[in-house]
Amino acid sequence: MCWTGRMMLGTFSILLVLVQAAAGCDFGPFPYRATGIVCRMTKPAALLLNQETAQVIQAAFKNANFPNITGERSVRLLGRMAYGLTNIQVNDLSIERSEVELKEDNAIHIAIKNVTALFKGTLTYGYAGAWFLQLFHSVDFEIESSIDLQLSTKLTCQKDQVVPDASDCYLTFHKLTLHLQGDKQPGWLKQLFTDFISFTLKLVLKREVCKEINAVAQTLTNFILDLAANFVRDKDIIVDISLASDPVIKASYIESHHKGLVLYGNNSSVLSDSIFSPSLLTESRMLYFWFSEHSLSSLASAAFLDGRLVLNLTGEKLQELFEMEDTEVQQKAVQMIFQGTSYNDSVAKVWSLTQPQISLQPEGAVVRSLVAVEVTILPSGEEPLVALYMEKEIMVTIQATYAEKKLILQPVDSSTEIKVFKCTADPSGKDPSIQSFLQNMILVAGIPEVTSSIGSALTSLMNSKRLDLFDIINPEIITRKGYVIVQLDFGFPSHLLLKFFEKSL
């Protein structure tokens, strides 16, 4: 979730997503107990973000709007002389390096070393008398500058939202040289106006730079928080990512804790016994996400209430499901169930009858649910006929991986128990060939098909939130008793940040 001019605090703004500040919010004596989601970013990630925002910094500096500078001064023998610097613009910006430090005083320290920039504009000057002011000379000017910027940003919490305070901002000028009309040689006019305006110019630059830092930091913070909130929201299902406790800032990482409560309609989950502890996360990867079992179970319940746990199979998908193996028993069972009807004239519906129960274990996510399977055939010119209806208690252990920008859910162990069985081809429900075939079909092909479809749906949902635009490197999804950890390295798409910033100018 630090620069001159209207500068983009790339690293800082990204870190703000993770650090939902400290002062101003009361989390009680046991804040971790309400923690459902945790995000930890380590120092290598902060350094990467700092590097990747160079283009944004240059665009911000180039598009900065500097005010006109005017003044007058008494000059010996010449009387009073007035001057004005107008149309100030920035060209040829370069940044030697930038550094980020995470401090345990709840601050992010950023140092930008040797920012060189060429300011251009128009200098108007003349003599100011007691009764009138005459400004009758105008020349183009250039100002060569070399600046260091030190920024210490404090974080505060207001209404469970982070508010940055970047007022602790200092500029150090190593060079500020004025050239008039392209003349690089010293002259009395150049020397005169250098003495006049250098001090004023430094004050104006510092004031405008630091003011823009605060404004841009807040704009970016709001943008990224809105982006994060949108990522965990889909239609009527909302995940509450407001703060659950103060941030933890160490020299090697920065960590934020969020409620992770699921809101759906008038339903809201409640969490007061989280098992989170900072010791559960390490520092070897760039980015960590910790999810409680409660948050994932609540999401599954919301998906059930919203009618999303339904899968319809027709045509080739239906054929693949029922023709998983070419045996005489299978052929006989399929013929009896479909009564000669084409797969294209049939549909299988699979849905959850009860809210899925999720238990996170070292082996994976254990999902329990009562599932219904219904096969309907659609004979030409006749009423639809329910050829098969089953209700089964299913328990399946699922392991999740993320590769090639796709979420893959792989069932590694499963069991089923038939609760209800109705089949037009076997009214008594005692034909062992049909029941054996269906039992095997569900375990071997049905459950993998359902989990694959859910994985594809979740991948599409995440990609609709722009996740596919990030370079996610060697992600690992690790389940433990009561929680899951996602840890990864990443490449940041700086062009997205640049595109947003250009739109905000």
Side-chain angles (χ1 to χ4, degrees):
M1 241 185 177
C2 36
W3 333 110
T4 336
R6 184 170 181 173
M7 302 198 158
M8 181 84 151
L9 302 181
T11 302
F12 166 64
S13 60
I14 297 298
L15 293 176
L16 289 179
V17 178
L18 306 179
V19 186
Q20 305 290 315
C25 297
D26 182 12
F27 298 110
F30 306 105
Y32 288 157
R33 292 176 59 182
T35 299
I37 298 176
V38 178
C39 185
R40 173 180 289 188
M41 177 184 282
T42 59
K43 183 67 176 290
L47 295 175
L48 173 67
L49 291 173
N50 195 47
Q51 296 169 3
E52 290 296 320
T53 53
Q55 294 182 31
V56 178
I57 300 166
Q58 295 185 33
F61 205 124
K62 184 177 180 180
N63 288 282
N65 293 317
F66 292 95
N68 296 334
I69 301 173
T70 60
E72 63 176 59
R73 186 172 178 178
S74 178
V75 181
R76 195 174 173 185
L77 301 178
L78 296 178
R80 300 190 66 80
M81 181 165 284
Y83 62 89
L85 295 173
T86 60
N87 303 319
I88 302 174
Q89 299 177 351
V90 180
N91 296 80
D92 302 326
L93 172 73
S94 66
I95 299 171
E96 182 175 293
R97 70 181 188 276
S98 59
E99 301 170 355
V100 178
E101 284 189 82
L102 307 179
K103 297 290 188 178
E104 297 190 22
D105 59 354
N106 195 45
I108 303 170
H109 294 258
I110 302 174
I112 306 301
K113 301 293 185 180
N114 195 19
V115 179
T116 60
L118 185 65
F119 295 86
K120 292 185 176 183
T122 302
L123 168 64
T124 305
Y125 66 95
Y127 303 103
W131 302 99
F132 63 93
L133 173 65
Q134 286 185 317
L135 298 176
F136 49 86
H137 289 291
S138 292
V139 295
D140 293 333
F141 71 84
E142 294 180 349
I143 299 175
E144 294 181 275
S145 66
S146 178
I147 306 168
D148 286 351
L149 174 67
Q150 299 287 335
L151 178 68
S152 179
T153 304
K154 296 288 185 179
L155 305 172
T156 60
C157 180
Q158 296 179 10
K159 298 180 180 179
D160 290 339
Q161 290 283 330
V162 63
V163 178
D165 178 9
S167 58
D168 191 0
C169 170
Y170 296 95
L171 273 66
T172 302
F173 290 85
H174 299 297
K175 179 180 182 182
L176 192 68
T177 305
L178 175 68
H179 302 294
L180 299 178
Q181 294 181 318
D183 180 12
K184 307 298 182 182
Q185 299 302 319
W188 75 270
L189 189 61
K190 173 185 171 183
Q191 184 63 46
L192 178 65
F193 281 107
T194 298
D195 292 342
F196 276 2
I197 69 176
S198 60
F199 180 73
T200 304
L201 183 61
K202 289 179 181 180
L203 291 179
V204 170
L205 287 177
K206 179 183 184 303
R207 182 183 68 233
E208 293 303 313
V209 166
C210 294
K211 181 179 72 174
E212 292 298 333
I213 284 175
N214 260 318
V216 173
Q218 187 59 67
T219 298
L220 288 174
T221 300
N222 293 337
F223 167 74
I224 296 174
L225 288 174
D226 289 344
L227 191 67
N230 179 62
F231 190 85
V232 293
R233 175 174 186 163
D234 186 57
K235 297 180 181 178
D236 294 330
I237 300 177
I238 304 171
V239 179
D240 180 4
I241 58 170
S242 57
L243 304 182
S245 69
D246 292 337
V248 174
I249 301 180
K250 301 290 186 180
S252 57
Y253 68 84
I254 189 167
E255 181 177 281
S256 64
H257 317 101
H258 309 268
K259 294 176 182 177
L261 303 179
V262 178
L263 312 176
Y264 177 77
N266 295 324
N267 299 303
S268 176
S269 58
V270 178
L271 177 62
S272 60
D273 57 351
S274 175
I275 61 173
F276 174 74
S277 168
S279 63
L280 298 177
L281 301 178
T282 64
E283 302 173 27
S284 60
R285 306 298 299 273
M286 294 172 68
L287 192 61
Y288 295 81
F289 294 99
W290 182 95
F291 299 94
S292 69
E293 180 179 284
H294 177 271
S295 294
L296 295 182
S297 294
S298 299
L299 274 175
S301 296
F304 167 79
L305 294 173
D306 201 46
R308 302 193 186 196
L309 303 184
V310 179
L311 176 65
N312 291 304
L313 300 172
T314 60
E316 292 183 1
K317 282 291 185 182
L318 190 58
Q319 183 176 1
E320 291 174 4
L321 186 65
F322 277 88
E323 295 185 2
M324 57 180 182
E325 56 185 25
D326 187 14
T327 64
E328 184 177 344
V329 172
Q330 173 222 279
Q331 293 174 5
K332 179 182 176 182
V334 170
Q335 182 65 30
M336 292 175 66
I337 293 171
F338 287 90
Q339 303 176 28
T341 303
S342 167
Y343 289 115
N344 291 325
D345 296 323
S346 307
V347 60
K349 179 181 177 182
V350 183
W351 71 100
S352 183
L353 293 170
T354 60
Q355 297 185 20
Q357 303 298 313
I358 296 180
S359 173
L360 297 177
Q361 303 294 335
E363 298 79 17
V366 180
V367 182
R368 294 179 175 83
S369 184
L370 180 62
V371 176
V373 179
E374 182 180 86
V375 176
T376 302
I377 58 178
L378 312 168
S380 178
E382 299 181 25
E383 291 292 322
L385 173 65
V386 177
L388 173 67
Y389 178 83
M390 290 189 301
E391 293 180 6
K392 282 178 166 285
E393 285 277 7
I394 291 181
M395 183 176 72
V396 56
T397 301
I398 300 174
Q399 292 181 350
T401 56
Y402 188 87
E404 298 181 352
K405 301 186 183 297
K406 295 179 180 178
L407 179 65
I408 303 168
L409 303 181
Q410 180 66 43
V412 294
D413 185 29
S414 58
S415 62
T416 65
E417 179 183 352
I418 296 176
K419 296 295 185 180
V420 176
F421 181 84
K422 298 177 183 178
C423 181
T424 56
D426 180 22
S428 65
K430 296 181 180 180
D431 189 321
S433 63
I434 291 181
Q435 296 230 3
S436 175
F437 163 71
L438 291 173
Q439 184 83 355
N440 190 40
M441 178 203 71
I442 290 172
L443 291 173
V444 175
I447 292 176
E449 177 63 34
V450 170
T451 54
S452 176
S453 298
I454 293 175
S456 297
L458 290 175
T459 297
S460 297
L461 178 61
M462 291 187 295
N463 289 345
S464 71
K465 309 294 185 179
R466 298 183 175 183
L467 182 65
D468 57 329
L469 299 180
F470 290 78
D471 295 325
I472 299 177
I473 304 169
N474 298 326
E476 296 179 89
I477 303 176
I478 303 169
T479 54
R480 295 289 184 262
K481 185 174 177 59
Y483 64 91
V484 62
I485 296 172
V486 179
Q487 56 188 38
L488 54 96
D489 299 321
F490 67 93
F492 182 72
S494 56
H495 64 281
L496 293 181
L497 209 55
L498 178 60
K499 184 177 181 180
F500 159 72
F501 180 72
E502 290 175 340
K503 285 183 178 180
S504 68
L505 292 175

